[in-house]
Amino acid sequence: MKKLLNTLYVTDEKAYLSLEGEAVVCSSEGKPPLKLPLANLENICCFSYLGCSPALMGKCADKGVGLAFFTPHGRFLARVTGAVKGNVYTRTKQIEVFKSSALSLIRDNVAAKLMNTGRLIDRTVRDHGDSADIAAISSLLKERARTVYDETDIDIIRGIEGACAKKYFESFRALIRNDRPIFDIYGRSKHPPLDAVNATLSFLYSVLTNDFASALESAGLDCYIGFYHVQRPGRISLACDMVEEVRCIAERMVISMINLKMLDEKDFEKQPTGAVFLSDNGRKKVLAKLQEKKREKFVHPFLKQKIPYGLLPFVQSNLLAKFVRGEIEEYPPFVLR
């Protein structure tokens, strides 16, 4: 288990949580039990199928400690609550904060996305020695990331993001070293994806967006109330907002899998309409690589602690929840270092 920002993450699939006095006890086969005072915790996120004791559930509900359950792969299952008091305060506060801080949140969100995209290109340039043309796009993205702070019109910021994304995806083929025609890409296509690269990107974006929806749910935030993406019934707008910061992780994975020849023609299916989707075998390959990536550790730029990538949506969601509740002055977006 790992404690970050007063949240306990139990990532051992065989762990069982129980109550001992005023402490939570984490037991796992072949390992000594670990104890942590409940008074030190705000939330517990459990990624174990074994779950926890009813006594611990009751104590968490009584003490106001959030307790959420997920599959080991991160899909949200349920959250334990006590007597129904509703989440009116948090939801009202979320709406108020997003309304009053929309401009600063959007600036940070777009700037982080553009900076991360530029740094992804930089890494590819270092690895493969690409031409000056693709390096120039990185410089453009990072320069535009700075200029969003000069803008006060949200629609103009949206225009900057859209223009940068168009330029980036028009040059995405230059980042791919696999010369098979199936991996040709001439821009971003979504509904539906029209080539193998876009099919893989769309699949990963969707998985990561749902990861954020689960994480936001565990942090007590309403993932349908966002600050950037247009809200509409059934759309998890806040998860769509948050995933913008980490799209670079999905894009880097796609580039690596294609360059290492982990994907080929048989991993895709072309529909009569022209749409291209991952085959069942292709999805398994991508999900296996994603799970491998989620176990990889890195130093979080704000926490200055090593965490696995799989916890990134939960850490960012908890940081946003702290901002909404007024516990920190501003939300720190995820920016690659």
Side-chain angles (χ1 to χ4, degrees), residues 180-193:
R180 291 186 181 180
I182 190 173
F183 297 120
D184 288 345
I185 173 176
Y186 301 102
R188 180 78 178 111
S189 57
K190 315 180 208 179
H191 306 296

Side-chain angles (χ1 to χ4, degrees), residues 74-146:
R75 183 172 63 82
F76 177 78
L77 295 173
R79 185 171 67 234
V80 174
T81 58
V84 178
K85 299 173 184 176
N87 198 25
V88 176
Y89 172 77
T90 302
R91 185 167 298 164
T92 302
K93 188 69 174 174
Q94 179 179 340
I95 294 169
E96 290 175 354
V97 170
F98 285 179
K99 186 175 180 179
S100 62
S101 304
L103 181 60
S104 61
L105 283 168
I106 290 170
R107 281 171 169 167
D108 288 344
N109 185 266
V110 172
K113 175 183 179 180
L114 298 182
M115 287 296 294
N116 289 340
T117 305
R119 285 172 180 167
L120 179 151
I121 294 174
D122 291 341
R123 179 174 173 178
T124 305
V125 169
R126 287 196 303 271
D127 291 348
H128 302 293
D130 288 282
S131 68
D133 290 342
I134 190 68
I137 293 174
S138 170
S139 298
L140 171 68
L141 291 171
K142 287 183 280 189
E143 187 274 329
R144 297 304 274 161
R146 289 185 284 269

Side-chain angles (χ1 to χ4, degrees), residues 200-211:
T200 314
L201 286 170
S202 290
F203 178 72
L204 274 173
Y205 289 158
S206 178
V207 172
L208 289 176
T209 301
N210 281 292
D211 285 349

Side-chain angles (χ1 to χ4, degrees), residues 101-116 145 148-149 157 227-228 241 244-245 323 329-335:
S101 304
L103 181 60
S104 61
L105 283 168
I106 290 170
R107 281 171 169 167
D108 288 344
N109 185 266
V110 172
K113 175 183 179 180
L114 298 182
M115 287 296 294
N116 289 340
V148 298
Y149 290 100
I157 296 175
F227 55 82
Y228 185 35
D241 294 342
E244 295 293 333
E245 301 169 17
F323 172 64
E329 292 186 1
E330 60 181 331
Y331 164 71
F334 174 70
V335 180

Side-chain angles (χ1 to χ4, degrees), residues 73 203-204 253 257 262 281-295:
H73 298 299
F203 178 72
L204 274 173
M253 269 189 58
M257 290 190 74
M262 298 173 68
N281 189 60
R283 286 192 297 272
K284 289 178 181 177
K285 286 184 179 180
V286 174
L287 287 173
K289 184 66 176 175
L290 180 59
Q291 288 307 118
E292 181 184 316
K293 182 68 177 178
K294 286 183 175 182
R295 290 190 292 270

Side-chain angles (χ1 to χ4, degrees), residues 117 120-121 137 164-172 175 251:
T117 305
L120 179 151
I121 294 174
I137 293 174
C164 288
K166 185 174 185 295
K167 188 77 173 174
Y168 169 56
F169 281 110
E170 284 175 351
S171 307
F172 200 81
L175 301 175
E251 290 153 12

